[in-house]
Amino acid sequence: MSTSPLKIGLGIIGFGTVGQGVWKHLAATKKYLEVRMGVKIELIGVCVRDPSKKRDVEIPPTQIHTDPFKLLEDPRVNIVCELMGGTTLAREVTLRALHLGKVVVSANKALICEYGAEIFKTVSSHGGQFFFEASVAGGIPIIKSLREGLVANRFSEIAGIINGTCNYLLTRMEKEGLAYETVLQDARRLGYVEADESLDLDGIDAYHKAVILAFLAHGKWVPRRNTLVEGIRAVTLEDIRRAHDFGYRIKHLAVIRRNFSKGWMTLGVYPALIPLDKVLARVDGVFNGISLSGDVVGTTTLVGRGAGQDATASAVIGDIVDAIRVLKGASFKFLTQADLDSYNALGTAVRMATLDEIQTQFYLRFALRDKHGVSAEVYRILAEEKISVARVIQYEQAGTRRGTHTLSTYPVSESAMERALRKLKRLRTVLEPPLVLRIFTPEN
Ligand code: NAP
Ligand code: HSE
């Protein structure tokens, strides 16, 4: 006697770039997945703000809703895909679905960064599930890698390019000599940029993603006050060229370091100079790259598309397949109380490093008055803070009575550099606040 396959009902809340991508690709591969999983996948409905908006992916008007709660409470909906973004309504939607014991699939890194602890607790207390592969690094399966494939490791360093928009901007500025604004318009058109673009351009989106990686690797939800968060607005075409003169490329990086013997960790996102021969220096365009240095595996680097409709849809559909496994009764459960207890135990064993403990190599650019002895004053201040200069290149600006000085340092504490910069800013011969970038040499 044949039994009819289990019906899986999907509710997609948010039908913009990602939501439409998910349904476009799922509709195309549904038959194959249904045979493979032994289920019948059905789109129960999508939820949007403006139902009259013209969309690239068409679905019957009867399936378009504007009330997310009505859709998620429909008993036919087993999997709720939260693809609307934001943290207020998205939080309510996510928690309501989890309270109902439904499986939630999310691409919302801002929400997880801010409310991850509450969401994960709700999962463990209400028996639903929460999958979030698309929240970090688009199509790269980094969440699964940390949770499953690389679970044997303790990570001393996780360093990566995890904002596709910043990487796209920096790459095209460098390769085509284009202005920032011109490239930003293309990034918007391609669906890479967040609705609030400051999240991308000011480094906040990368911070959200780094916090998620740090939690999975070290069990700690790192608060913003303990981190360095810088975007790419201050980086000019001139800096990109100067970095090349020093043998580096500028990339927007997230860096999570852990010192197991001293018990500290650091988390920072910032534009950094990377040596030209490193793998991450060659990750271009909208691609993301993440190097993970683990005590068992060594350094592994994953590279792939980090933003945009298709890459993100790939990750969401991967989660939907995991969600179906759970609904079919798979014994594997993630975010159980045992998982949370083990993350909490990891997290209590680590503290954030102080600025004295963080050693960094720096690149500085400053405009100096073209006058006898001005560079000597700069070097005196650096020497007072025991900052050793590795390389200097000076560029004269003909007819302007000013010159641009760029220099790189050997590793020095963040606190020493902070003190030196305060003194440098007070010099009357330093014409503008110096641009300070970090130099980072990844393992790979
Ligand atoms: P988007 O294009 O702006 O789409 C958002 C969708 O949510 C739209 O369909 C919008 O409706 C709907 N929505 C927003 N507020 C709503 C409300 N109050 N009630 C009902 N519907 C509402 O955004 P997206 O780029 O697809 O991003 C969605 C999520 O995925 C975000 O969390 C984002 O951070 C994350 N993400 C995006 C990417 C990417 O490359 N784009 C990659 C990874 C993760 P209308 O269409 O009617 O306005
Ligand atoms: N705005 C994000 C980025 C989307 O550019 O990386 C992917 O998370």
Side-chain angles (χ1 to χ4, degrees):
M1 194 181 75
S2 70
T3 52
S4 51
L6 179 68
K7 275 191 184 163
I8 302 289
L10 278 189
I12 302 183
I13 299 188
F15 207 58
T17 304
V18 181
Q20 290 183 73
V22 169
W23 186 242
K24 180 176 78 179
H25 290 291
L26 196 53
T29 55
K30 199 162 82 72
K31 272 203 177 116
Y32 161 74
L33 288 176
E34 285 176 338
V35 171
R36 197 166 151 183
M37 311 287 301
V39 295
K40 183 102 193 82
I41 302 169
E42 206 184 331
L43 179 68
I44 305 298
V46 304
C47 182
V48 295
R49 208 169 8 203
D50 175 5
S52 67
K53 207 188 254 181
K54 173 101 189 77
R55 296 179 198 267
D56 295 334
V57 176
E58 284 186 26
I59 55 164
T62 50
Q63 286 185 315
I64 302 180
H65 303 255
T66 52
D67 180 346
F69 298 99
K70 199 162 166 211
L71 176 59
L72 74 86
E73 283 163 15
D74 185 323
R76 293 171 301 162
V77 171
N78 321 95
I79 302 176
V80 176
C81 297
E82 189 278 284
L83 304 172
M84 73 200 304
T87 55
T88 309
L89 185 57
R91 170 178 167 271
E92 289 169 29
V93 161
T94 301
L95 293 177
R96 177 78 190 128
L98 292 173
H99 275 114
L100 292 172
K102 307 216 173 188
V103 185
V104 177
V105 171
S106 173
N108 194 337
K109 51 268 166 151
L111 179 76
I112 303 167
C113 174
E114 213 168 317
Y115 297 108
E118 184 182 23
I119 291 170
F120 292 1
K121 212 162 180 292
T122 311
V123 172
S124 100
S125 57
H126 283 78
Q129 264 302 309
F130 184 75
F131 292 104
F132 51 103
E133 188 60 71
S135 65
V136 185
I140 302 175
I142 183 65
I143 306 289
K144 250 186 198 287
S145 299
L146 276 170
R147 243 173 45 191
E148 299 173 28
L150 298 174
V151 74
N153 293 272
R154 299 199 308 164
F155 297 98
S156 53
E157 188 175 286
I158 299 175
I161 296 167
I162 54 175
N163 184 270
T165 301
C166 287
N167 205 34
Y168 180 79
L169 285 161
L170 291 172
T171 306
R172 289 200 59 202
M173 282 167 72
E174 176 183 344
K175 299 217 161 169
E176 299 169 52
L178 291 172
Y180 178 86
E181 262 306 320
T182 313
V183 191
L184 181 55
Q185 278 183 22
D186 284 347
R188 284 184 195 123
R189 186 177 45 77
L190 291 163
Y192 302 158
V193 189
E194 297 297 315
D196 171 1
E197 3 189 283
S198 140
L199 293 176
D200 291 307
L201 305 175
D202 296 318
I204 303 157
D205 175 75
Y207 160 75
H208 290 152
K209 293 166 176 167
V211 166
I212 296 171
L213 297 183
F215 177 75
L216 292 173
H218 303 301
K220 193 172 184 77
W221 291 106
V222 176
R224 178 81 180 266
R225 66 177 181 281
N226 290 130
T227 61
L228 172 72
V229 179
E230 287 177 1
I232 58 164
R233 292 187 208 255
V235 179
T236 63
L237 255 175
E238 187 194 347
D239 294 308
I240 292 172
R241 294 192 183 120
R242 304 282 182 250
H244 239 269
D245 294 346
F246 276 82
Y248 298 103
R249 293 186 74 191
I250 299 183
K251 293 288 177 190
H252 189 262
L253 280 191
V255 180
I256 302 161
R257 283 201 195 116
R258 174 89 188 254
N259 184 317
F260 287 96
S261 57
K262 297 197 170 130
W264 56 248
M265 68 177 281
T266 68
L267 184 153
V269 302
Y270 43 80
L273 282 71
I274 307 184
L276 289 167
D277 62 342
K278 293 292 175 182
V279 177
L280 289 183
R282 285 176 274 128
V283 172
D284 283 337
V286 75
F287 279 70
N288 282 189
I290 308 182
S291 282
L292 306 111
S293 299
D295 56 345
V296 182
V297 73
T299 300
T300 299
T301 303
L302 304 169
V303 177
R305 283 180 198 281
Q309 187 171 66
D310 297 337
T312 315
S314 166
V316 173
I317 294 170
D319 277 352
I320 290 173
V321 168
D322 272 352
I324 293 173
R325 289 200 180 100
V326 167
L327 291 166
K328 286 194 75 186
S331 57
F332 168 79
K333 285 260 183 182
F334 178 56
L335 298 175
T336 59
Q337 192 54 48
D339 287 319
L340 293 187
D341 289 346
S342 71
Y343 279 120
N344 285 338
L346 279 177
T348 49
V350 60
R351 65 180 170 85
M352 300 310 289
T354 64
L355 290 186
D356 287 333
E357 287 170 311
I358 308 174
Q359 294 284 312
T360 308
Q361 250 188 293
F362 286 92
Y363 159 94
L364 305 185
R365 166 177 53 83
F366 33 86
L368 288 183
R369 202 182 293 282
D370 191 8
K371 203 175 131 201
H372 181 72
V374 288
S375 357
E377 281 183 306
V378 170
Y379 295 119
R380 177 183 53 75
I381 288 174
L382 296 176
E384 272 171 18
E385 295 301 337
K386 302 193 172 44
I387 297 172
S388 302
V389 174
R391 266 192 90 186
V392 182
I393 305 183
Q394 229 170 293
Y395 305 85
E396 298 310 323
Q397 291 176 18
T400 61
R401 305 212 53 193
R402 58 191 271 164
T404 301
H405 288 233
T406 50
L407 61 84
S408 62
T409 72
Y410 287 104
V412 53
S413 74
E414 290 271 347
S415 50
M417 182 53 79
E418 208 174 83
R419 286 191 298 274
L421 286 171
R422 269 201 301 271
K423 293 182 193 169
L424 284 171
K425 282 180 194 158
R426 286 201 292 265
L427 283 185
R428 292 181 54 188
T429 45
V430 174
L431 300 174
E432 297 156 5
L435 176 82
V436 184
L437 297 176
R438 284 156 183 81
I439 298 175
F440 182 77
T441 304
E443 297 280 342
N444 263 355

